[in-house]
Coordinates of all heavy atoms in Angstrom, one line a residue:
L867 N 2.2 0.9 29.6 CA 2.1 -0.6 29.5 C 3.4 -1.3 29.4 O 3.6 -2.4 30.0 CB 1.3 -0.9 28.2 CG -0.2 -0.5 28.2 CD1 -0.8 -0.8 26.8 CD2 -0.9 -1.4 29.2
T890 N 15.8 1.8 30.8 CA 16.0 1.6 29.4 C 14.7 1.9 28.6 O 14.7 2.6 27.6 CB 16.5 0.2 29.0 OG1 17.7 0.0 29.7 CG2 16.6 0.0 27.5
V969 N 33.0 -1.5 34.8 CA 34.3 -1.5 35.5 C 34.1 -1.1 37.0 O 34.6 -1.6 37.9 CB 35.3 -0.7 34.8 CG1 36.6 -0.5 35.6 CG2 35.6 -1.3 33.4
S1152 N 2.2 42.6 -23.9 CA 1.1 43.5 -23.9 C 1.3 44.7 -23.0 O 0.5 45.6 -22.9 CB -0.2 42.8 -23.5 OG -0.1 42.4 -22.1

Side-chain angles (χ1 to χ4, degrees):
L867 289 174
T890 299
V969 173
S1152 64

